[in-house]
Structure formats: structure tokens, C-alpha cells
Amino acid sequence: MTITAQEFSFVRELVLTRSAIVLDPGKEYLVESRLLPIARRRGDTDVAGLIKTAQRSPEAALKSEIVDALTTNETSWFRDRHPFDALGNHILPELVKTRALQRRLSIWSAACSSGQEPYSIAMTLADKAPVLAGWQTSILATDLSPTMIERARGGLFSQLEMNRGLPASHLVRHFARDKAGWRVAKQLRDLVTFQLHNLNDPAPPGPFDIVFLRNVLIYFAPQTKREILARVRRVLRPDGFLILGAAETTLNLDTEFDRAAMGPAPIYRIRDPRG
């Protein structure tokens, strides 16, 4: 049974209110595929029945579960590769020089989903262990989904997830078998702090040397994108780096950012007021 326009409108408004993410018309199929497992688990006959239950019920947990299911995005190891190449080959070498006195590095991985991105960052830092010896490095990974944060914090991934972009050399170095899956090594898990955060709220305190804000701005309306970029800019160090997704840009959204010349990776820096 296909959900009605009114049912889709209810879900769309719920997701918009809770997360500021816009579900455009035509995404009814996404709503049905994401919510069907919840409907079956709760004993509803179909997704339309689940939505009707949510409309009538004051149960906050059900509405949160619906939003959670619809705001969890696909991810993979070293996704799009270019940003991680730029991180290892350009960004870290520059920061090693400019932070030589402080010997401290702080990174924020926003909208981290199930954790592949922050752990990919941690593996990239591990590849640079000799030059970062004695440095205090930290990665803050955030997401609005409690389910994803708990999964990411545990660092346990299925074989199917491991097959999506993880080089064999990194599997050997940074993972151990755990029953039917693979668990991230403790020394990498210790580098990453996971916490709940909605990008529609004030940014974590920072300041950050690098912010990964990848493949999430595309889900927001233009004004929300501007507000998020402004909040990120306030916690990014003046000489820091903002890394967006391949289909994302600050163009026509935030004039305070300029694209950095680091190959195909979409990397931005705060504009130098001196020109």
C-alpha cells in the first residue's frame, strides 16, 4: 500500500522539525522502505498504519525512531578517497608545521553515521604516526541518531560493511575478528569521541583544525545550509580546513570561505581578511 500525500506530509514535517532535513516530494519510496521494518516490528500491517499510529500517539520514542530511520545516510570507508588523500598528503603536513609549538590537533567529523568516516580519519592519522609522535590528537564524531552513535562507538562492522572501500592492508593493521564481524582496534577507538549532535543546534565548542562536513548539506534547504556553515566557521580555526562532500560547495552560501587548491577534493578555508 502506497502512503497518501497527507501521510507523507506528516512524516516530512516531523523530519523537518526534528532535524531540518528536507524530504522532497518523490521521496515516498524512501519513507516506505525505511519505515517498513519498524512497522513490521511493531505489528502494524503496513507503513501507512505506522504513520497513523504516530499521528495519534503522544509516544515520543516512536517519532524519534521514525526520524532516526529517515536521517541515517549511507557511508563507506575512505568515501570518495580524494579528501583522505588530501588529508594525509597536504593538510596534515601543513598543520604539522603551523602547530609545531602546540603539538595539538583537533578534528570534527560531523554527521558521522555508523562511524566509517571518523575511523578512516583515525587510520589516516595512524599512517602519519612518525610525524605525529608526541602530539595530542583528537577526533570528535557526531550524529543526530542515537542508534548510529551507539553502533559507531562499539566499532563493530559486518563483513559486508568491511568490503565497502577498506584496503586489505588497513584491515590487517587496524581490525580484529569478533564473531561474524570485525572490530576496530582499541588504539583507534580511543582516538575518537562519539556524541549526539544535531547540525541545527549550536556547534560543539571547538576550536577545530579540521572539520569534515561531508554529504549532509545536500539534504538541507539553502538557508539552513548558510546557518550550518556559519556555525562551523565560528568553531574552525582561522587557518583550519573545511572538507565537504563531492557534490557540495560553499558557493552562494557563505562568502567567507574560499576553495583550497588541493586537487579534486572539495576543501575550503576561511578567507584571509588581508586578501
Side-chain angles (χ1 to χ4, degrees), residues 14-22 144 198 200 219-221 224 228:
L14 178 63
V15 171
L16 182 64
T17 302
R18 297 285 185 95
S19 70
I21 289 174
V22 177
L144 62 77
N198 189 326
N200 212 31
Y219 298 104
F220 296 109
T224 304
I228 292 171

Side-chain angles (χ1 to χ4, degrees), residues 14 18 42 53-54 57-68:
L14 178 63
R18 297 285 185 95
R42 293 179 58 92
T53 300
S57 172
E59 185 185 344
L62 174 57
K63 293 183 174 68
S64 294
E65 192 173 8
I66 289 172
V67 173
D68 195 356

Side-chain angles (χ1 to χ4, degrees), residues 105-150:
L105 192 62
S106 181
I107 302 172
W108 175 21
S109 170
C112 69
S113 190
S114 47
Q116 283 91 330
E117 178 176 272
Y119 286 130
S120 295
I121 296 168
M123 284 185 269
T124 304
L125 296 182
D127 290 341
K128 298 295 179 181
V131 297
L132 291 173
W135 282 59
Q136 181 182 338
T137 57
S138 63
I139 303 167
L140 174 65
T142 65
D143 200 272
L144 62 77
S145 167
T147 304
M148 289 296 104
I149 287 295
E150 280 306 305

